[in-house]
Amino acid sequence: MNMRIVYHLGAHCTDEERLIRCLLKNRVALAAQGILVPAPTRYRRLLRDTAVQLKGAASDAEIQTIVMEQLVEDNQASRVVLSWDSFLSFPQWVLNGQMYTFAGERIRAFTRILPQNEAEFHLALRNPATFVPALFEKQRARPYEDFIRGTYPAELRWSLVVRQILAQNPGVPLVIWCDEDTPLIWPEVLQAVSGHADGTELTDTDELLAAIMSPEGLAQLKAYLVAHPPASIQQRRRIVAAFLDKYALPERIEMSIDLPGWTAELVEEITAAYYEDVALIRQMPGVTFIAP
């Protein structure tokens, strides 16, 4: 049976493994729909080492069999979900004048491991004004001057990353959303990645909201949604937004930026460019954009 391989690409400093943790907790219910969610330990090193071995070439039947035996326990599955923010790059190599300079090429190398299977990509974007500081904290290996050398934060554009992914992987569906919107669109993101049927009840889906809301606020939100089931996705988003306005924890959603040369004016400039870039990406052929 031909399977579709779904690659959740991150990016770094967006998801922090919440998506794959949630899907793993629901793996039994998803498996009943032909959706497999292997543990990351089964494939991350395997795919990395295999991609290095192949050097961009398509794998032969023997390698495909070995990889599939590691990934798939049920050969009746129609969809396999893989998640790793280093599909695009390791953190220390993300910035090189632009972001993820070789993203398209790297992802194509991974899809060539299982070239007989359809692929599908999912990617969260983040405002470079907070992405760059978070990435600097994540890599920790180099001083800021070495980390940022040759890169001008105000010139960073996700659209360049998206263009090269599309160019190197023609015809592969690419689903994109903004990390800043994730609290409002989390159920839609989970469904887009997993492909589960409408009406499927997933459990343990509150980790993201629990990270940014007071426990009291989250409890009240959950009780309200039970007592007043939303009639539509948009209504649910309005309800969640209202509770976030009241119960969000400022220290969890506001980021203090303290990097050499970064001023309030620079942050505003980067942010304005990000909004323009997102508007451009939303119009790109081949992109499905999840927005509130």
PDB file of all heavy atoms in Angstrom, residues 116-133:
ATOM      1  N   GLN A 116       9.404   6.387  -3.338  1.00  0.00           N
ATOM      2  CA  GLN A 116       8.170   5.816  -3.871  1.00  0.00           C
ATOM      3  C   GLN A 116       6.937   6.314  -3.134  1.00  0.00           C
ATOM      4  O   GLN A 116       5.808   6.075  -3.582  1.00  0.00           O
ATOM      5  CB  GLN A 116       8.222   4.279  -3.786  1.00  0.00           C
ATOM      6  CG  GLN A 116       9.412   3.659  -4.493  1.00  0.00           C
ATOM      7  CD  GLN A 116       9.495   4.062  -5.955  1.00  0.00           C
ATOM      8  OE1 GLN A 116       8.494   4.043  -6.659  1.00  0.00           O
ATOM      9  NE2 GLN A 116      10.683   4.441  -6.396  1.00  0.00           N
ATOM     10  N   ASN A 117       7.145   6.996  -2.021  1.00  0.00           N
ATOM     11  CA  ASN A 117       6.029   7.467  -1.203  1.00  0.00           C
ATOM     12  C   ASN A 117       5.787   8.953  -1.406  1.00  0.00           C
ATOM     13  O   ASN A 117       6.731   9.740  -1.526  1.00  0.00           O
ATOM     14  CB  ASN A 117       6.307   7.198   0.274  1.00  0.00           C
ATOM     15  CG  ASN A 117       6.468   5.723   0.566  1.00  0.00           C
ATOM     16  OD1 ASN A 117       7.564   5.176   0.461  1.00  0.00           O
ATOM     17  ND2 ASN A 117       5.388   5.070   0.926  1.00  0.00           N
ATOM     18  N   GLU A 118       4.531   9.341  -1.434  1.00  0.00           N
ATOM     19  CA  GLU A 118       4.202  10.762  -1.495  1.00  0.00           C
ATOM     20  C   GLU A 118       4.687  11.449  -0.220  1.00  0.00           C
ATOM     21  O   GLU A 118       4.718  10.851   0.855  1.00  0.00           O
ATOM     22  CB  GLU A 118       2.691  10.959  -1.618  1.00  0.00           C
ATOM     23  CG  GLU A 118       2.090  10.469  -2.916  1.00  0.00           C
ATOM     24  CD  GLU A 118       0.600  10.717  -2.970  1.00  0.00           C
ATOM     25  OE1 GLU A 118      -0.002  11.003  -1.911  1.00  0.00           O
ATOM     26  OE2 GLU A 118       0.030  10.638  -4.074  1.00  0.00           O
ATOM     27  N   ALA A 119       5.065  12.727  -0.347  1.00  0.00           N
ATOM     28  CA  ALA A 119       5.521  13.510   0.802  1.00  0.00           C
ATOM     29  C   ALA A 119       4.566  14.672   1.045  1.00  0.00           C
ATOM     30  O   ALA A 119       3.811  15.090   0.160  1.00  0.00           O
ATOM     31  CB  ALA A 119       6.937  14.032   0.563  1.00  0.00           C
ATOM     32  N   GLU A 120       4.636  15.198   2.250  1.00  0.00           N
ATOM     33  CA  GLU A 120       3.836  16.364   2.626  1.00  0.00           C
ATOM     34  C   GLU A 120       4.611  17.110   3.700  1.00  0.00           C
ATOM     35  O   GLU A 120       5.153  16.485   4.624  1.00  0.00           O
ATOM     36  CB  GLU A 120       2.473  15.896   3.154  1.00  0.00           C
ATOM     37  CG  GLU A 120       1.522  17.003   3.578  1.00  0.00           C
ATOM     38  CD  GLU A 120       0.179  16.421   4.010  1.00  0.00           C
ATOM     39  OE1 GLU A 120      -0.373  15.570   3.277  1.00  0.00           O
ATOM     40  OE2 GLU A 120      -0.307  16.797   5.093  1.00  0.00           O
ATOM     41  N   PHE A 121       4.697  18.439   3.598  1.00  0.00           N
ATOM     42  CA  PHE A 121       5.500  19.235   4.523  1.00  0.00           C
ATOM     43  C   PHE A 121       4.623  20.161   5.366  1.00  0.00           C
ATOM     44  O   PHE A 121       3.634  20.707   4.863  1.00  0.00           O
ATOM     45  CB  PHE A 121       6.510  20.104   3.760  1.00  0.00           C
ATOM     46  CG  PHE A 121       7.465  19.346   2.886  1.00  0.00           C
ATOM     47  CD1 PHE A 121       7.890  19.880   1.677  1.00  0.00           C
ATOM     48  CD2 PHE A 121       7.956  18.105   3.259  1.00  0.00           C
ATOM     49  CE1 PHE A 121       8.772  19.199   0.855  1.00  0.00           C
ATOM     50  CE2 PHE A 121       8.844  17.407   2.447  1.00  0.00           C
ATOM     51  CZ  PHE A 121       9.254  17.966   1.241  1.00  0.00           C
ATOM     52  N   HIS A 122       5.039  20.375   6.625  1.00  0.00           N
ATOM     53  CA  HIS A 122       4.349  21.303   7.521  1.00  0.00           C
ATOM     54  C   HIS A 122       5.392  22.151   8.234  1.00  0.00           C
ATOM     55  O   HIS A 122       6.396  21.621   8.726  1.00  0.00           O
ATOM     56  CB  HIS A 122       3.512  20.539   8.541  1.00  0.00           C
ATOM     57  CG  HIS A 122       2.377  19.780   7.919  1.00  0.00           C
ATOM     58  ND1 HIS A 122       1.084  20.243   7.936  1.00  0.00           N
ATOM     59  CD2 HIS A 122       2.348  18.619   7.229  1.00  0.00           C
ATOM     60  CE1 HIS A 122       0.299  19.379   7.295  1.00  0.00           C
ATOM     61  NE2 HIS A 122       1.055  18.394   6.850  1.00  0.00           N
ATOM     62  N   LEU A 123       5.150  23.445   8.293  1.00  0.00           N
ATOM     63  CA  LEU A 123       6.168  24.379   8.793  1.00  0.00           C
ATOM     64  C   LEU A 123       5.525  25.549   9.521  1.00  0.00           C
ATOM     65  O   LEU A 123       4.610  26.190   8.994  1.00  0.00           O
ATOM     66  CB  LEU A 123       7.000  24.912   7.616  1.00  0.00           C
ATOM     67  CG  LEU A 123       8.031  25.992   7.910  1.00  0.00           C
ATOM     68  CD1 LEU A 123       9.150  25.459   8.795  1.00  0.00           C
ATOM     69  CD2 LEU A 123       8.603  26.540   6.594  1.00  0.00           C
ATOM     70  N   ALA A 124       6.013  25.829  10.726  1.00  0.00           N
ATOM     71  CA  ALA A 124       5.601  27.024  11.459  1.00  0.00           C
ATOM     72  C   ALA A 124       6.658  28.109  11.301  1.00  0.00           C
ATOM     73  O   ALA A 124       7.862  27.832  11.383  1.00  0.00           O
ATOM     74  CB  ALA A 124       5.407  26.704  12.944  1.00  0.00           C
ATOM     75  N   LEU A 125       6.211  29.336  11.061  1.00  0.00           N
ATOM     76  CA  LEU A 125       7.100  30.491  10.964  1.00  0.00           C
ATOM     77  C   LEU A 125       7.089  31.246  12.294  1.00  0.00           C
ATOM     78  O   LEU A 125       6.131  31.154  13.053  1.00  0.00           O
ATOM     79  CB  LEU A 125       6.626  31.434   9.857  1.00  0.00           C
ATOM     80  CG  LEU A 125       6.216  30.824   8.513  1.00  0.00           C
ATOM     81  CD1 LEU A 125       5.767  31.926   7.565  1.00  0.00           C
ATOM     82  CD2 LEU A 125       7.351  30.019   7.914  1.00  0.00           C
ATOM     83  N   ARG A 126       8.137  32.008  12.523  1.00  0.00           N
ATOM     84  CA  ARG A 126       8.176  32.857  13.731  1.00  0.00           C
ATOM     85  C   ARG A 126       8.822  34.184  13.394  1.00  0.00           C
ATOM     86  O   ARG A 126       9.784  34.236  12.612  1.00  0.00           O
ATOM     87  CB  ARG A 126       8.946  32.145  14.848  1.00  0.00           C
ATOM     88  CG  ARG A 126       9.023  32.942  16.143  1.00  0.00           C
ATOM     89  CD  ARG A 126       9.603  32.125  17.279  1.00  0.00           C
ATOM     90  NE  ARG A 126       9.800  32.946  18.476  1.00  0.00           N
ATOM     91  CZ  ARG A 126      10.211  32.473  19.647  1.00  0.00           C
ATOM     92  NH1 ARG A 126      10.466  31.175  19.779  1.00  0.00           N
ATOM     93  NH2 ARG A 126      10.378  33.284  20.679  1.00  0.00           N
ATOM     94  N   ASN A 127       8.304  35.230  13.964  1.00  0.00           N
ATOM     95  CA  ASN A 127       8.854  36.565  13.773  1.00  0.00           C
ATOM     96  C   ASN A 127      10.360  36.552  14.058  1.00  0.00           C
ATOM     97  O   ASN A 127      10.773  36.199  15.167  1.00  0.00           O
ATOM     98  CB  ASN A 127       8.144  37.534  14.732  1.00  0.00           C
ATOM     99  CG  ASN A 127       8.588  38.971  14.557  1.00  0.00           C
ATOM    100  OD1 ASN A 127       9.514  39.280  13.810  1.00  0.00           O
ATOM    101  ND2 ASN A 127       7.917  39.868  15.263  1.00  0.00           N
ATOM    102  N   PRO A 128      11.199  36.908  13.080  1.00  0.00           N
ATOM    103  CA  PRO A 128      12.646  36.905  13.335  1.00  0.00           C
ATOM    104  C   PRO A 128      13.059  37.771  14.527  1.00  0.00           C
ATOM    105  O   PRO A 128      14.130  37.542  15.103  1.00  0.00           O
ATOM    106  CB  PRO A 128      13.234  37.456  12.025  1.00  0.00           C
ATOM    107  CG  PRO A 128      12.226  37.048  10.982  1.00  0.00           C
ATOM    108  CD  PRO A 128      10.893  37.194  11.660  1.00  0.00           C
ATOM    109  N   ALA A 129      12.218  38.738  14.902  1.00  0.00           N
ATOM    110  CA  ALA A 129      12.543  39.578  16.059  1.00  0.00           C
ATOM    111  C   ALA A 129      12.597  38.769  17.349  1.00  0.00           C
ATOM    112  O   ALA A 129      13.306  39.139  18.294  1.00  0.00           O
ATOM    113  CB  ALA A 129      11.512  40.704  16.197  1.00  0.00           C
ATOM    114  N   THR A 130      11.862  37.668  17.417  1.00  0.00           N
ATOM    115  CA  THR A 130      11.959  36.775  18.581  1.00  0.00           C
ATOM    116  C   THR A 130      12.640  35.459  18.212  1.00  0.00           C
ATOM    117  O   THR A 130      13.229  34.799  19.074  1.00  0.00           O
ATOM    118  CB  THR A 130      10.578  36.472  19.179  1.00  0.00           C
ATOM    119  OG1 THR A 130       9.766  35.796  18.208  1.00  0.00           O
ATOM    120  CG2 THR A 130       9.896  37.753  19.619  1.00  0.00           C
ATOM    121  N   PHE A 131      12.575  35.087  16.945  1.00  0.00           N
ATOM    122  CA  PHE A 131      13.195  33.839  16.494  1.00  0.00           C
ATOM    123  C   PHE A 131      14.710  33.872  16.671  1.00  0.00           C
ATOM    124  O   PHE A 131      15.311  32.922  17.193  1.00  0.00           O
ATOM    125  CB  PHE A 131      12.834  33.597  15.031  1.00  0.00           C
ATOM    126  CG  PHE A 131      13.503  32.397  14.403  1.00  0.00           C
ATOM    127  CD1 PHE A 131      13.138  31.106  14.759  1.00  0.00           C
ATOM    128  CD2 PHE A 131      14.515  32.561  13.457  1.00  0.00           C
ATOM    129  CE1 PHE A 131      13.752  30.002  14.185  1.00  0.00           C
ATOM    130  CE2 PHE A 131      15.128  31.460  12.880  1.00  0.00           C
ATOM    131  CZ  PHE A 131      14.751  30.176  13.247  1.00  0.00           C
ATOM    132  N   VAL A 132      15.351  34.960  16.242  1.00  0.00           N
ATOM    133  CA  VAL A 132      16.811  35.043  16.323  1.00  0.00           C
ATOM    134  C   VAL A 132      17.300  34.988  17.774  1.00  0.00           C
ATOM    135  O   VAL A 132      18.210  34.205  18.091  1.00  0.00           O
ATOM    136  CB  VAL A 132      17.335  36.300  15.598  1.00  0.00           C
ATOM    137  CG1 VAL A 132      18.823  36.498  15.859  1.00  0.00           C
ATOM    138  CG2 VAL A 132      17.069  36.188  14.096  1.00  0.00           C
ATOM    139  N   PRO A 133      16.719  35.779  18.701  1.00  0.00           N
ATOM    140  CA  PRO A 133      17.156  35.658  20.097  1.00  0.00           C
ATOM    141  C   PRO A 133      16.923  34.257  20.677  1.00  0.00           C
ATOM    142  O   PRO A 133      17.773  33.736  21.404  1.00  0.00           O
ATOM    143  CB  PRO A 133      16.298  36.696  20.825  1.00  0.00           C
ATOM    144  CG  PRO A 133      15.943  37.706  19.778  1.00  0.00           C
ATOM    145  CD  PRO A 133      15.774  36.914  18.523  1.00  0.00           C
TER     146      PRO A 133
END
